[in-house]
Amino acid sequence: MGRGKMKILLIWPPLPEYCVLTQEFSCCEPLGLEYIAAPVIDKFGVEILDMRFDKNLLEVLKQKEPDIVGLSIPYTTTVNVCNDLLKIIKAYNPNIKVIIGGHHPTVGLRHISTEYVDYVIVGEGVETLRNLLEAIAQNGDLREINGLAFKASGEFIYNKSYELQTLDYYPQPARNLTAKYRDKYFHAHYKPVALMRFSYGCPYNCSFCVLWKLCNRKYISRNNELVVKELLELDNENIYVVDDEAFINTDNMNDLADRIQKNNIKKKYHMYVRSDTVAKNPGLFEKWASIGLDSVLMGLESIFEDDLNEYNKSISSKTAYESLKILHSNGVEVRANFIIKPDYSKEKFHLVRKAVEQYDIDRPTFAVLTPFYGTDEYEKVKDKFIIEKLEFFDCYHTFMKTALPLKEFYYEFAELFKCAQNRKKDGNKEKVFYAGKSENSFEEMIDKMKGSYIFY
C-alpha cells in the first residue's frame, strides 16, 4: 500500500485511576513512539495519540478510522488501563490490526488481554515495526521479522529476538507528531523538556533491575555527530537524557562534550549516572558541568553496605560520598534515590533521613524495593507476595511482608519525603525530586502513600 492507503494510530496510554506519582510531577514526551514512527511516516499515514491529554479513544477511532493501532504498554502500572483500551479498539472494529509493545510486553505477556492483540513487538521496535507494516501492506512473511510475536491459531509465535547492533540508523524522532502537546511536556522543574538518547543498554547487573537482561548487558553509544545534529534542531533548552547511564563510554562523552562546546550549543542537561563513574572521572564531569550538565539522578540505593552487596551494585557508600563532593564542587545538582526494603525498622528509616542531611543531597527521592517481573529480585521472592496489584508496581508500594505494621511502614516511608521537603539550606526551602504543579500536589502524594495500607 502507498502513503495514505494504510493509516497507523500510535497510542501512549493514560495513567491508571489510582496513581501516587501523577503527571502533576512529570509528564514527558513518548519518545519511543516518536522513534518508531519516524521511518514509516513517509510511506504510511501515521499519527500519535497521547491519552494523558486526549482521553476519548472511541471518538478518535471514529475520526481517524485507522487500519492499524499500536499501543504502548510502557509500565506494569498501566496494564489494566491498556487492557480496557484494547477492548475498546476491537469492539469498535474487529478488523483493526492491533500491535502492542513497550517494556511490559517485552518482559512478558502476563496480565495482558492478548485476545485483543494481533502482534507483539519485543524490545527495540524501530526496525521491527517498519518491517511489520511493510509485511502487512504486501502480505509478506511474518516469520522473517526479528523481534516480533504474531498470533497463529490463537497462540503467539515468537520469532528470533532482535539484536541491536547500532543506534546510528535510527532517524531523528518524529516530534512533529506530538507538536500539539509540546508545551505540556515537563519533568520536575524542567519545563518544557525534550527527551534524548545518547546510548543503549547497561553492562551492570543490579538484582532489582531487568534492563541489563533485556539488552544482554550490551552497551552501545550513539554516533556523536547524530547527537549534535539533534541538539542543534531542538528548540528546548532543557534536555532529559533517558539512557540507563550515558557516561559509561567516557571517551565518547569526552568527545561529545567537545563537539557541544565547538558548536556553541547552550542547553541544560539532566542525566542518570552511577556514583562510581563520577568518582573515577572527576575531570569529565567538570567538563560537562561547563557545557550545561545541570543535574544528575544517581541510584545511591542504600547507606547500608549489606544492601549494596545484595543488590549487586558494585559500589560502596564511600564511593557515593566521593561522587557527591565532585558533583557539588562543579555546581551540579544531585538527585539521589534510596531503596527502602520492606524489612526496615524505625531505626533504619531514621538513619536514611540522617544520611540525606549528611550527604547534603539536593533532591533526594525514595523507592520501595519492588520485585519487577523478570528481575532476579522477582524470582527470589515471587512466592511470598502479600499483594499483586498491578498499579503498585510504581516503586511506592511493598509486595512483601513488612517488619513494621503496614500502616506504620507507609507512615515512615512518607515521612522520608516530608523530612526531605522540610529541609532548609541557605535560608531557602529545599524541595524533593517531585515538585508538583500546584501547592497541593506534594501533600496529596504524601496522603496517598500514608493511606496505601488500606489496600492489603
Side-chain angles (χ1 to χ4, degrees), residues 270 273 294-298 300 320 323-328 331-337 359-365 423 430-431 433:
H270 171 57
V273 64
D294 189 64
S295 67
V296 298
L297 175 57
M298 289 198 303
L300 297 187
S323 67
L324 288 165
K325 287 195 296 184
I326 292 167
L327 292 165
H328 281 152
V332 178
E333 183 179 78
V334 178
R335 300 161 173 242
N337 184 67
Y359 286 177
D360 193 26
I361 296 168
D362 302 291
R363 294 176 185 255
T365 185
R423 291 176 304 150
E430 287 289 297
K431 290 192 174 180
F433 180 79

mmCIF file of all heavy atoms in Angstrom, residues 270 273 294-298 300 320 323-328 331-337 359-365 423 430-431 433:
data_model
loop_
_atom_site.group_PDB
_atom_site.id
_atom_site.type_symbol
_atom_site.label_atom_id
_atom_site.label_comp_id
_atom_site.label_asym_id
_atom_site.label_seq_id
_atom_site.Cartn_x
_atom_site.Cartn_y
_atom_site.Cartn_z
ATOM 1 N N HIS A 270 19.881 16.925 32.086
ATOM 2 C CA HIS A 270 19.616 16.079 33.251
ATOM 3 C C HIS A 270 19.850 14.640 32.810
ATOM 4 O O HIS A 270 19.293 14.192 31.812
ATOM 5 C CB HIS A 270 18.178 16.273 33.730
ATOM 6 C CG HIS A 270 17.755 15.302 34.790
ATOM 7 N ND1 HIS A 270 18.434 15.168 35.974
ATOM 8 C CD2 HIS A 270 16.734 14.411 34.842
ATOM 9 C CE1 HIS A 270 17.846 14.240 36.720
ATOM 10 N NE2 HIS A 270 16.816 13.763 36.044
ATOM 11 N N VAL A 273 23.348 8.709 36.205
ATOM 12 C CA VAL A 273 24.780 8.414 36.272
ATOM 13 C C VAL A 273 25.053 7.557 37.505
ATOM 14 O O VAL A 273 24.370 7.680 38.523
ATOM 15 C CB VAL A 273 25.605 9.723 36.327
ATOM 16 C CG1 VAL A 273 25.308 10.500 37.596
ATOM 17 C CG2 VAL A 273 27.097 9.439 36.201
ATOM 18 N N ASP A 294 23.277 20.083 34.295
ATOM 19 C CA ASP A 294 22.589 20.817 35.351
ATOM 20 C C ASP A 294 22.295 19.945 36.559
ATOM 21 O O ASP A 294 22.391 20.402 37.697
ATOM 22 C CB ASP A 294 21.279 21.387 34.794
ATOM 23 C CG ASP A 294 20.599 22.343 35.760
ATOM 24 O OD1 ASP A 294 21.192 23.394 36.044
ATOM 25 O OD2 ASP A 294 19.482 22.030 36.218
ATOM 26 N N SER A 295 21.929 18.687 36.305
ATOM 27 C CA SER A 295 21.621 17.781 37.411
ATOM 28 C C SER A 295 21.805 16.347 36.973
ATOM 29 O O SER A 295 21.761 16.026 35.776
ATOM 30 C CB SER A 295 20.183 17.995 37.905
ATOM 31 O OG SER A 295 19.251 17.598 36.916
ATOM 32 N N VAL A 296 22.026 15.481 37.949
ATOM 33 C CA VAL A 296 22.118 14.048 37.684
ATOM 34 C C VAL A 296 21.211 13.322 38.665
ATOM 35 O O VAL A 296 20.973 13.795 39.783
ATOM 36 C CB VAL A 296 23.562 13.512 37.825
ATOM 37 C CG1 VAL A 296 24.493 14.180 36.819
ATOM 38 C CG2 VAL A 296 24.073 13.678 39.240
ATOM 39 N N LEU A 297 20.707 12.184 38.219
ATOM 40 C CA LEU A 297 19.985 11.287 39.108
ATOM 41 C C LEU A 297 20.855 10.064 39.334
ATOM 42 O O LEU A 297 21.170 9.335 38.394
ATOM 43 C CB LEU A 297 18.645 10.882 38.507
ATOM 44 C CG LEU A 297 17.837 9.850 39.304
ATOM 45 C CD1 LEU A 297 17.577 10.331 40.717
ATOM 46 C CD2 LEU A 297 16.529 9.519 38.610
ATOM 47 N N MET A 298 21.281 9.874 40.574
ATOM 48 C CA MET A 298 22.128 8.739 40.924
ATOM 49 C C MET A 298 21.354 7.747 41.778
ATOM 50 O O MET A 298 20.637 8.150 42.700
ATOM 51 C CB MET A 298 23.373 9.195 41.701
ATOM 52 C CG MET A 298 24.380 9.932 40.880
ATOM 53 S SD MET A 298 26.003 9.993 41.687
ATOM 54 C CE MET A 298 25.611 10.772 43.243
ATOM 55 N N LEU A 300 21.948 5.895 44.499
ATOM 56 C CA LEU A 300 22.812 5.549 45.633
ATOM 57 C C LEU A 300 22.303 4.283 46.309
ATOM 58 O O LEU A 300 23.067 3.533 46.898
ATOM 59 C CB LEU A 300 22.859 6.703 46.633
ATOM 60 C CG LEU A 300 23.455 8.010 46.112
ATOM 61 C CD1 LEU A 300 23.595 9.013 47.246
ATOM 62 C CD2 LEU A 300 24.810 7.772 45.452
ATOM 63 N N ALA A 320 29.905 6.711 46.943
ATOM 64 C CA ALA A 320 28.788 7.638 46.790
ATOM 65 C C ALA A 320 29.144 9.017 47.336
ATOM 66 O O ALA A 320 28.875 10.045 46.698
ATOM 67 C CB ALA A 320 27.565 7.082 47.509
ATOM 68 N N SER A 323 31.529 10.886 45.023
ATOM 69 C CA SER A 323 30.871 11.387 43.816
ATOM 70 C C SER A 323 30.058 12.644 44.117
ATOM 71 O O SER A 323 30.015 13.579 43.303
ATOM 72 C CB SER A 323 29.980 10.306 43.208
ATOM 73 O OG SER A 323 28.874 10.015 44.045
ATOM 74 N N LEU A 324 29.417 12.680 45.267
ATOM 75 C CA LEU A 324 28.638 13.856 45.644
ATOM 76 C C LEU A 324 29.528 15.089 45.773
ATOM 77 O O LEU A 324 29.168 16.187 45.326
ATOM 78 C CB LEU A 324 27.916 13.595 46.966
ATOM 79 C CG LEU A 324 26.741 12.617 46.913
ATOM 80 C CD1 LEU A 324 26.356 12.158 48.312
ATOM 81 C CD2 LEU A 324 25.547 13.264 46.228
ATOM 82 N N LYS A 325 30.700 14.925 46.360
ATOM 83 C CA LYS A 325 31.621 16.057 46.504
ATOM 84 C C LYS A 325 32.061 16.583 45.137
ATOM 85 O O LYS A 325 32.147 17.794 44.925
ATOM 86 C CB LYS A 325 32.840 15.630 47.329
ATOM 87 C CG LYS A 325 32.570 15.442 48.812
ATOM 88 C CD LYS A 325 33.853 15.389 49.624
ATOM 89 C CE LYS A 325 34.700 14.183 49.257
ATOM 90 N NZ LYS A 325 35.915 14.084 50.115
ATOM 91 N N ILE A 326 32.345 15.672 44.219
ATOM 92 C CA ILE A 326 32.774 16.076 42.874
ATOM 93 C C ILE A 326 31.674 16.852 42.170
ATOM 94 O O ILE A 326 31.914 17.925 41.584
ATOM 95 C CB ILE A 326 33.176 14.835 42.048
ATOM 96 C CG1 ILE A 326 34.453 14.215 42.609
ATOM 97 C CG2 ILE A 326 33.352 15.191 40.572
ATOM 98 C CD1 ILE A 326 34.760 12.835 42.065
ATOM 99 N N LEU A 327 30.470 16.334 42.204
ATOM 100 C CA LEU A 327 29.354 16.991 41.518
ATOM 101 C C LEU A 327 29.036 18.342 42.141
ATOM 102 O O LEU A 327 28.863 19.342 41.427
ATOM 103 C CB LEU A 327 28.124 16.085 41.542
ATOM 104 C CG LEU A 327 28.253 14.808 40.705
ATOM 105 C CD1 LEU A 327 27.160 13.811 41.057
ATOM 106 C CD2 LEU A 327 28.220 15.133 39.214
ATOM 107 N N HIS A 328 28.980 18.401 43.455
ATOM 108 C CA HIS A 328 28.674 19.669 44.117
ATOM 109 C C HIS A 328 29.759 20.719 43.877
ATOM 110 O O HIS A 328 29.463 21.913 43.747
ATOM 111 C CB HIS A 328 28.485 19.444 45.620
ATOM 112 C CG HIS A 328 27.148 18.884 45.970
ATOM 113 N ND1 HIS A 328 26.933 18.107 47.090
ATOM 114 C CD2 HIS A 328 25.946 18.979 45.357
ATOM 115 C CE1 HIS A 328 25.657 17.767 47.145
ATOM 116 N NE2 HIS A 328 25.043 18.279 46.103
ATOM 117 N N GLY A 331 28.948 22.490 40.797
ATOM 118 C CA GLY A 331 27.642 23.133 40.700
ATOM 119 C C GLY A 331 26.563 22.272 40.078
ATOM 120 O O GLY A 331 25.541 22.792 39.602
ATOM 121 N N VAL A 332 26.761 20.957 40.069
ATOM 122 C CA VAL A 332 25.766 20.047 39.505
ATOM 123 C C VAL A 332 24.829 19.582 40.613
ATOM 124 O O VAL A 332 25.269 19.083 41.644
ATOM 125 C CB VAL A 332 26.436 18.821 38.841
ATOM 126 C CG1 VAL A 332 25.381 17.852 38.311
ATOM 127 C CG2 VAL A 332 27.376 19.268 37.729
ATOM 128 N N GLU A 333 23.544 19.767 40.404
ATOM 129 C CA GLU A 333 22.554 19.358 41.398
ATOM 130 C C GLU A 333 22.454 17.831 41.424
ATOM 131 O O GLU A 333 22.413 17.187 40.380
ATOM 132 C CB GLU A 333 21.196 19.952 41.045
ATOM 133 C CG GLU A 333 20.110 19.652 42.048
ATOM 134 C CD GLU A 333 18.789 20.277 41.658
ATOM 135 O OE1 GLU A 333 18.107 19.733 40.770
ATOM 136 O OE2 GLU A 333 18.438 21.324 42.238
ATOM 137 N N VAL A 334 22.382 17.271 42.620
ATOM 138 C CA VAL A 334 22.319 15.817 42.778
ATOM 139 C C VAL A 334 20.915 15.392 43.203
ATOM 140 O O VAL A 334 20.390 15.857 44.213
ATOM 141 C CB VAL A 334 23.339 15.324 43.824
ATOM 142 C CG1 VAL A 334 23.213 13.815 44.014
ATOM 143 C CG2 VAL A 334 24.754 15.681 43.375
ATOM 144 N N ARG A 335 20.366 14.511 42.403
ATOM 145 C CA ARG A 335 19.077 13.885 42.720
ATOM 146 C C ARG A 335 19.380 12.426 42.969
ATOM 147 O O ARG A 335 19.739 11.693 42.047
ATOM 148 C CB ARG A 335 18.119 14.050 41.548
ATOM 149 C CG ARG A 335 17.867 15.500 41.215
ATOM 150 C CD ARG A 335 17.313 15.663 39.804
ATOM 151 N NE ARG A 335 16.946 17.050 39.615
ATOM 152 C CZ ARG A 335 15.712 17.479 39.367
ATOM 153 N NH1 ARG A 335 14.730 16.601 39.253
ATOM 154 N NH2 ARG A 335 15.449 18.739 39.245
ATOM 155 N N ALA A 336 19.290 12.007 44.211
ATOM 156 C CA ALA A 336 19.730 10.665 44.580
ATOM 157 C C ALA A 336 18.558 9.826 45.059
ATOM 158 O O ALA A 336 17.694 10.306 45.799
ATOM 159 C CB ALA A 336 20.787 10.742 45.672
ATOM 160 N N ASN A 337 18.537 8.559 44.621
ATOM 161 C CA ASN A 337 17.471 7.650 45.018
ATOM 162 C C ASN A 337 17.972 6.638 46.043
ATOM 163 O O ASN A 337 19.087 6.121 45.935
ATOM 164 C CB ASN A 337 16.927 6.902 43.800
ATOM 165 C CG ASN A 337 15.754 6.016 44.174
ATOM 166 O OD1 ASN A 337 14.698 6.511 44.545
ATOM 167 N ND2 ASN A 337 15.943 4.714 44.104
ATOM 168 N N TYR A 359 24.839 13.811 53.646
ATOM 169 C CA TYR A 359 25.349 13.823 52.272
ATOM 170 C C TYR A 359 25.047 15.127 51.545
ATOM 171 O O TYR A 359 25.566 15.380 50.473
ATOM 172 C CB TYR A 359 24.746 12.664 51.475
ATOM 173 C CG TYR A 359 25.295 11.294 51.795
ATOM 174 C CD1 TYR A 359 24.775 10.172 51.171
ATOM 175 C CD2 TYR A 359 26.335 11.114 52.707
ATOM 176 C CE1 TYR A 359 25.263 8.893 51.445
ATOM 177 C CE2 TYR A 359 26.825 9.866 52.987
ATOM 178 C CZ TYR A 359 26.288 8.755 52.361
ATOM 179 O OH TYR A 359 26.768 7.513 52.631
ATOM 180 N N ASP A 360 24.153 15.941 52.129
ATOM 181 C CA ASP A 360 23.761 17.213 51.513
ATOM 182 C C ASP A 360 23.196 16.987 50.112
ATOM 183 O O ASP A 360 23.571 17.658 49.142
ATOM 184 C CB ASP A 360 24.959 18.168 51.459
ATOM 185 C CG ASP A 360 24.529 19.592 51.124
ATOM 186 O OD1 ASP A 360 23.369 19.944 51.418
ATOM 187 O OD2 ASP A 360 25.354 20.339 50.556
ATOM 188 N N ILE A 361 22.293 16.026 50.021
ATOM 189 C CA ILE A 361 21.680 15.690 48.730
ATOM 190 C C ILE A 361 20.635 16.740 48.390
ATOM 191 O O ILE A 361 19.740 17.028 49.187
ATOM 192 C CB ILE A 361 21.059 14.287 48.783
ATOM 193 C CG1 ILE A 361 22.163 13.248 48.994
ATOM 194 C CG2 ILE A 361 20.290 13.981 47.503
ATOM 195 C CD1 ILE A 361 21.667 11.884 49.346
ATOM 196 N N ASP A 362 20.744 17.281 47.201
ATOM 197 C CA ASP A 362 19.872 18.386 46.818
ATOM 198 C C ASP A 362 18.412 17.967 46.757
ATOM 199 O O ASP A 362 17.543 18.610 47.333
ATOM 200 C CB ASP A 362 20.299 18.955 45.462
ATOM 201 C CG ASP A 362 21.740 19.427 45.479
ATOM 202 O OD1 ASP A 362 22.014 20.429 46.153
ATOM 203 O OD2 ASP A 362 22.586 18.783 44.837
ATOM 204 N N ARG A 363 18.151 16.909 46.014
ATOM 205 C CA ARG A 363 16.771 16.461 45.823
ATOM 206 C C ARG A 363 16.701 14.944 45.988
ATOM 207 O O ARG A 363 16.779 14.209 45.006
ATOM 208 C CB ARG A 363 16.250 16.883 44.451
ATOM 209 C CG ARG A 363 16.124 18.402 44.283
ATOM 210 C CD ARG A 363 15.698 18.777 42.875
ATOM 211 N NE ARG A 363 15.701 20.208 42.710
ATOM 212 C CZ ARG A 363 14.594 20.974 42.677
ATOM 213 N NH1 ARG A 363 13.419 20.408 42.817
ATOM 214 N NH2 ARG A 363 14.675 22.271 42.505
ATOM 215 N N PRO A 364 16.575 14.473 47.202
ATOM 216 C CA PRO A 364 16.510 13.028 47.420
ATOM 217 C C PRO A 364 15.150 12.464 47.021
ATOM 218 O O PRO A 364 14.130 13.159 47.081
ATOM 219 C CB PRO A 364 16.718 12.900 48.928
ATOM 220 C CG PRO A 364 16.204 14.180 49.480
ATOM 221 C CD PRO A 364 16.505 15.238 48.454
ATOM 222 N N THR A 365 15.141 11.221 46.615
ATOM 223 C CA THR A 365 13.889 10.518 46.381
ATOM 224 C C THR A 365 14.052 9.095 46.900
ATOM 225 O O THR A 365 15.169 8.618 47.094
ATOM 226 C CB THR A 365 13.490 10.535 44.901
ATOM 227 O OG1 THR A 365 12.203 9.936 44.749
ATOM 228 C CG2 THR A 365 14.494 9.826 44.030
ATOM 229 N N ARG A 423 13.588 20.455 54.690
ATOM 230 C CA ARG A 423 14.940 20.955 54.964
ATOM 231 C C ARG A 423 15.092 22.389 54.504
ATOM 232 O O ARG A 423 14.422 22.846 53.583
ATOM 233 C CB ARG A 423 15.975 20.091 54.226
ATOM 234 C CG ARG A 423 16.130 18.681 54.760
ATOM 235 C CD ARG A 423 17.090 17.926 53.875
ATOM 236 N NE ARG A 423 16.625 17.946 52.505
ATOM 237 C CZ ARG A 423 17.432 17.908 51.438
ATOM 238 N NH1 ARG A 423 18.730 17.868 51.602
ATOM 239 N NH2 ARG A 423 16.936 17.908 50.222
ATOM 240 N N GLU A 430 14.233 23.734 50.607
ATOM 241 C CA GLU A 430 14.575 22.769 49.572
ATOM 242 C C GLU A 430 13.324 21.981 49.186
ATOM 243 O O GLU A 430 12.380 21.860 49.958
ATOM 244 C CB GLU A 430 15.639 21.803 50.088
ATOM 245 C CG GLU A 430 17.010 22.433 50.204
ATOM 246 C CD GLU A 430 17.632 22.695 48.857
ATOM 247 O OE1 GLU A 430 17.883 21.738 48.116
ATOM 248 O OE2 GLU A 430 17.847 23.867 48.530
ATOM 249 N N LYS A 431 13.341 21.413 47.999
ATOM 250 C CA LYS A 431 12.227 20.583 47.579
ATOM 251 C C LYS A 431 12.744 19.208 47.178
ATOM 252 O O LYS A 431 13.860 19.070 46.711
ATOM 253 C CB LYS A 431 11.477 21.217 46.405
ATOM 254 C CG LYS A 431 10.704 22.463 46.811
ATOM 255 C CD LYS A 431 9.755 22.894 45.723
ATOM 256 C CE LYS A 431 8.884 24.054 46.193
ATOM 257 N NZ LYS A 431 7.935 24.492 45.150
ATOM 258 N N PHE A 433 12.649 15.665 44.904
ATOM 259 C CA PHE A 433 12.703 15.463 43.453
ATOM 260 C C PHE A 433 11.373 15.796 42.790
ATOM 261 O O PHE A 433 11.328 16.351 41.710
ATOM 262 C CB PHE A 433 13.073 14.005 43.195
ATOM 263 C CG PHE A 433 13.174 13.635 41.749
ATOM 264 C CD1 PHE A 433 14.299 13.958 41.022
ATOM 265 C CD2 PHE A 433 12.152 12.956 41.121
ATOM 266 C CE1 PHE A 433 14.411 13.604 39.699
ATOM 267 C CE2 PHE A 433 12.254 12.597 39.793
ATOM 268 C CZ PHE A 433 13.388 12.917 39.079
#
